Amino acid sequence: MKKFRPQPGFVVQAYRFALDPNATQERALRSHCGAARAAYNWAVGWVTASWWQRRAEESYGIAEDELTPWRPWSLPSLRKAFNEAKHADPRFASWWEENSKEAYSTGLANASAAFDNYAKSKNARRKGRKMGTPRFKSKRKARLSCRFTTGTIRVDGDGQHVTLPRLGTLRTHEPTAKLLTRVQAGTARILSATVRHERGRWFASFQVEVKQDITRVTRPDAAVGIDLGVKTLAVLADSTGEIRAVANPKHHDQVLKKLRRTSRTVSRRQGPDRRTGRKPSKRWEKANAARNRVHYRVTNLRANALHKLTTAVAAEYGTVVVEDLNVAGMLRNRRLARRIADAGFGEIRRQLDYKTRQRHATRTIVASRWYPSSKTCSGCGAEKAKLPLHVRTYECDACGLVIDRDDNAALNLAALAAACTTGTGVAGDQDTAPAVSNPRGADQKTRATRRSRKATAGRAGGATLPHPRQTETRDRTQAEALTLW
């Protein structure tokens, strides 16, 4: 699906509302989401069938030019093949007309994106962990979701209903006045809508093109450095030397006792068994819903606290400096994983990025992951080679400064803003931090692996040897990409 690009002066924003459907409307919602899952599974089976057929033919000794041709997975190709098969396929022939065409298009678009991600991952053209081949979605585990891009998509004038294709008018649990006011004023245009079921409640999320309103910050010439932590969620130090700490609410720890009790109740009920095909009992479903409500409340409390923090910071300072934390690596520490996940370090950085850029036209500087903010003295600039995590007070051997470890790191991050005179400083320019010698304070050589040689050459300014697969053209056909399968 083609990515939408907003017009100059406009941004794409989501408005999400909880729904209150009646019994008939809820059956229609589940039917549409089930149709999207069925179309996805059909696309995965249709594409991979040619893969297995080719593999079987190769084992028979059939020549390459006589093998079964690859089946394309582009969205237009999948739509064409699905439209030809839905009339004859017994899985769709009797009920496909009951749902909107957007439901099937949602599943086909998701399948096309899944195959694209798999091919890019195999060709080393996708960041992150390796992606495997797309798998079928289970009816019991699949998330109920469906997207509408065409047809009647609007917010009704009474502020209490929304209208979606084929589903009709649905009552909302909360007023839609915030979006309705913008639509009526001509400063917003609805692009698409997505219905989704989460923890016992249906939601409608509208993708809206909204006119950008820039608000001037309170202190445009001030910069703030934010040091994130577990004991204290954030330590804020501005360019004037003022330091203030934001306590960690620890929402998950507050309900941990209740979660344990509800989990024990769920474990004592007769739950589903995939191996034997046993369905869950009514008491298990009721207990599981009670446990999910606790999780859902914690999620909402955490999101509310993070939004309040990031909104206040973005509205006050002209420059915000945050660290590029390796959150995935930090979560491997089993002693701190639960509290790190509860803090939401990645979400804080994401919210600061778009709020400073879209709402206030200020900048966010992302310090390098190897910048020694905690090891460097904020007074004289001396750097320590080692600083264990259990040492919470920084004592400088050069100037004798004694300061809290987190306060020292926040001051160093705030001072980093003055040195970053090039680049826009937004999330796209993550290398705007000044180059420092020996940034990690390493006292031994790095292992001579392919990844470390590449990183060392990049830091030293030398030529980086490309990966052999990266020297090939990036405009590969699907058949060439699938030779790696």
Side-chain angles (χ1 to χ4, degrees):
M1 186 175 293
K2 187 177 180 181
K3 187 177 181 180
F4 175 80
R5 293 185 178 181
Q7 299 178 2
F10 287 78
V11 296
V12 177
Q13 184 175 336
Y15 287 83
R16 185 181 178 190
F17 306 103
L19 300 177
D20 278 340
N22 55 35
T24 304
Q25 292 171 342
E26 183 167 1
R27 284 195 298 269
L29 286 168
R30 291 185 177 276
S31 178
H32 277 70
C33 296
R37 180 188 60 84
Y40 176 90
N41 289 341
W42 176 90
V44 171
W46 185 75
V47 173
T48 55
S50 64
W51 300 7
W52 292 109
Q53 181 64 26
R54 288 177 63 91
R55 175 169 292 186
E57 293 173 353
E58 289 176 354
S59 64
Y60 302 153
I62 300 177
E64 177 70 24
D65 54 348
E66 297 180 0
L67 296 177
T68 301
W70 298 105
R71 285 179 175 174
W73 61 67
S74 64
L75 182 56
S77 301
L78 292 179
R79 280 177 175 170
K80 182 179 179 180
F82 180 77
N83 290 332
E84 295 175 354
K86 65 184 180 182
H87 299 283
D89 196 327
R91 294 174 296 177
F92 300 97
S94 60
W95 57 269
W96 71 267
E97 294 180 346
E98 299 177 2
N99 303 299
S100 172
K101 64 180 180 63
E102 292 295 316
Y104 306 102
S105 181
T106 299
L108 299 178
N110 293 340
S112 178
F115 281 109
D116 284 339
N117 291 334
Y118 165 68
K120 290 178 181 178
S121 178
K122 281 294 184 180
N123 290 315
R125 291 190 288 115
R126 187 182 186 277
K127 295 182 180 180
R129 295 188 299 179
K130 292 184 179 181
M131 297 289 293
T133 56
R135 296 181 295 180
F136 295 110
K137 290 185 178 181
S138 169
K139 182 178 181 180
R140 184 173 62 87
K141 293 184 178 181
R143 179 173 295 169
L144 300 177
S145 178
C146 179
R147 187 185 182 196
F148 301 91
T149 58
T150 60
T152 304
I153 306 173
R154 69 169 182 265
V155 179
D156 292 356
D158 60 354
Q160 292 291 338
H161 295 82
V162 296
T163 301
L164 298 175
R166 203 63 182 268
L167 296 173
T169 302
L170 304 172
R171 182 177 177 83
T172 59
H173 182 72
E174 51 193 335
T176 61
K178 186 176 293 186
L179 175 58
L180 181 62
T181 303
R182 283 182 170 268
V183 172
Q184 292 177 347
T187 59
R189 182 170 65 94
I190 298 177
L191 304 175
S192 64
T194 302
V195 292
R196 191 173 182 178
H197 187 267
E198 290 183 357
R199 296 182 177 93
R201 182 174 288 278
W202 287 94
F203 293 89
S205 179
F206 293 88
Q207 187 183 26
V208 186
E209 184 186 23
V210 183
K211 186 177 181 180
Q212 187 177 19
D213 296 328
I214 302 300
T215 306
R216 183 177 175 83
V217 297
T218 307
R219 303 167 62 187
D221 298 330
V224 62
I226 303 178
D227 182 74
L228 302 176
V230 174
K231 185 176 181 181
T232 302
L233 180 60
V235 176
L236 311 178
D238 58 22
S239 52
T240 63
E242 180 183 356
I243 302 175
R244 69 176 187 268
V246 179
N248 190 353
K250 299 180 180 179
H251 299 292
H252 189 268
D253 288 350
Q254 294 178 6
V255 298
L256 196 58
K257 184 177 180 180
K258 189 174 183 179
L259 279 175
R260 288 169 178 166
R261 184 171 64 251
T262 55
S263 297
R264 284 196 300 267
T265 304
V266 173
S267 66
R268 291 165 181 165
R269 305 291 187 261
Q270 180 174 312
D273 192 339
R274 190 175 183 181
R275 295 170 298 178
T276 61
R278 185 183 65 189
K279 294 183 178 180
S281 65
K282 295 295 183 182
R283 300 179 73 212
W284 182 93
E285 292 179 346
K286 184 179 180 180
N288 188 52
R291 180 178 59 178
N292 288 342
R293 283 194 295 269
V294 179
H295 279 294
Y296 189 54
R297 176 173 172 78
V298 172
T299 302
N300 291 339
L301 290 173
R302 183 188 301 116
N304 181 58
L306 295 184
H307 273 293
K308 287 182 178 179
L309 170 63
T310 55
T311 299
V313 172
E316 183 176 357
Y317 299 99
T319 303
V320 180
V321 185
V322 294
E323 290 182 295
D324 181 21
L325 298 176
N326 182 19
V327 180
M330 297 166 66
L331 291 176
R332 298 191 185 100
N333 186 343
R334 63 184 181 90
R335 298 179 181 272
L336 299 175
R338 188 181 69 215
R339 290 179 172 84
I340 291 174
D342 187 29
F345 294 157
E347 182 66 13
I348 293 177
R349 173 179 165 182
R350 186 191 70 85
Q351 292 182 11
L352 286 173
D353 170 30
Y354 79 82
K355 289 181 180 180
T356 55
R357 178 162 40 89
Q358 296 180 3
R359 298 182 182 180
H360 307 284
T362 55
R363 65 173 184 166
T364 299
I365 298 177
V366 181
S368 173
R369 181 172 297 180
W370 310 117
Y371 178 69
S373 59
S374 299
K375 298 179 182 178
T376 305
C377 177
S378 59
C380 64
E383 182 182 336
K384 284 190 174 184
K386 297 291 183 180
L387 187 64
L389 187 61
H390 69 274
V391 179
R392 307 311 304 171
T393 302
Y394 183 90
E395 298 179 1
C396 182
D397 300 330
C399 65
L401 176 67
V402 178
I403 189 175
D404 183 81
R405 175 195 182 110
D406 297 336
D407 296 351
N408 180 68
L411 288 172
N412 287 327
L413 292 174
L416 189 63
C420 297
T421 57
T422 60
T424 60
V426 296
D429 299 329
Q430 296 184 4
D431 299 326
T432 56
V436 291
S437 59
N438 196 16
R440 291 178 289 175
D443 55 359
Q444 60 182 359
K445 292 184 179 181
T446 310
R447 293 178 298 172
T449 60
R450 182 177 62 186
R451 184 182 297 272
S452 62
R453 287 199 303 268
K454 180 178 178 180
T456 305
R459 288 195 298 267
T464 303
L465 295 177
H467 192 277
R469 196 172 292 163
Q470 294 178 354
T471 59
E472 302 177 6
T473 177
R474 295 190 181 275
D475 297 330
R476 281 180 153 184
T477 61
Q478 294 179 359
E480 293 172 338
L482 283 170
T483 56
L484 299 173
W485 180 70

